[in-house]
Amino acid sequence: MDSDGLVIVYTGGGKGKTTAALGIALRAAGYGKKICMIQFIKGSWHYGEADSYKRLMPEFEILAAGEGFVGIIDDKSPREDHVRAAAEAARMSSERIKSGRYDIIILDEINYAVNLGLITANDVLGLIKSRPPGTDLILTGNHATDEVIEAADLVTEMREVKHPFKRGIKARKGIDF
Ligand code: ATP
Ligand code: MG
């Protein structure tokens, strides 16, 4: 069991889930470890890490398959597009996980994809079970299911104590996106 990769979950309603995963990527790249982040839900916003990871290539790569947030007002894509994108992200994840080429694989916002019904909790458990020894998995997104929490080794729930958004302060470049 010792050589098995860990399953790490960052969930909860407070800020810091994706950035915690990126923090591990930054740390691990320092040891020359190979890290792949796959985005399950891609917002209409541009995130800084979509560019900065290129400075950490080839150790770190980010792949996006999702398109647009589901359920927000400016979301024009039909639901089946989101289902297809999430299925594509799951397929890409499965391929990368099974390859054994990576030390760490980050499934970013995968918990939201389950919560939105784009993929199932069983799909996630299948990905977790398919990891070869020595590959760590990091799953982010609020509303992690009980099954995923049960399967994980490390679970941190981000709890919002204060957030400037609640005072009407907009998202900031480099902090929020
Ligand atoms: P981050 O990417 O900053 O670590 P996150 O992964 O914990 O955030 P998500 O649920 O993925 O949070 O939300 C993505 C966006 O919403 C980011 O721009 C993030 O900064 C912002 N955000 C996260 N938590 C909150 C909150 N409690 N209130 C308002 N905005 C938030
Ligand atoms: Mg996030």
Side-chain angles (χ1 to χ4, degrees), residues 31-157:
Y31 295 103
K33 287 182 183 275
K34 284 278 288 170
I35 310 112
C36 180
M37 175 155 134
I38 296 136
Q39 293 175 329
F40 276 73
I41 310 276
K42 190 168 157 282
S44 37
W45 286 22
H46 178 82
Y47 284 81
E49 60 266 30
D51 291 319
S52 53
Y53 84 87
K54 290 169 191 161
R55 303 193 197 184
L56 290 175
M57 270 168 56
E59 282 81 8
F60 186 25
E61 60 181 296
I62 298 186
L63 308 166
E67 24 175 305
F69 278 119
V70 174
I72 64 169
I73 310 112
D74 70 349
D75 173 18
K76 302 276 196 314
S77 318
R79 187 179 160 84
E80 56 260 36
D81 285 1
H82 295 292
V83 173
R84 212 176 307 118
E88 171 64 6
R91 194 199 57 71
M92 283 162 50
S93 302
S94 174
E95 192 271 313
R96 260 80 183 176
I97 291 168
K98 286 180 190 151
S99 77
R101 281 186 283 130
Y102 300 92
D103 298 294
I104 300 172
I105 296 184
I106 301 167
L107 307 175
D108 191 40
E109 317 301 358
I110 192 170
N111 297 332
Y112 288 119
V114 174
N115 192 247
L116 293 164
L118 303 177
I119 57 170
T120 68
N122 248 343
D123 294 332
V124 182
L125 292 180
L127 290 174
I128 290 173
K129 288 197 190 106
S130 72
R131 77 190 191 287
T135 298
D136 297 309
L137 284 188
I138 305 178
L139 294 81
T140 85
N142 197 9
H143 311 298
T145 61
D146 292 342
E147 296 99 310
V148 165
I149 288 172
E150 175 68 31
D153 300 291
L154 188 165
V155 181
T156 297
E157 185 174 352

Side-chain angles (χ1 to χ4, degrees), residues 13-19 47 109 112 160 163 165 175-177:
K15 172 177 157 55
K17 301 172 289 293
T18 296
T19 46
Y47 284 81
E109 317 301 358
Y112 288 119
E160 184 187 312
H163 197 294
F165 187 75
I175 301 282
D176 294 299
F177 62 93

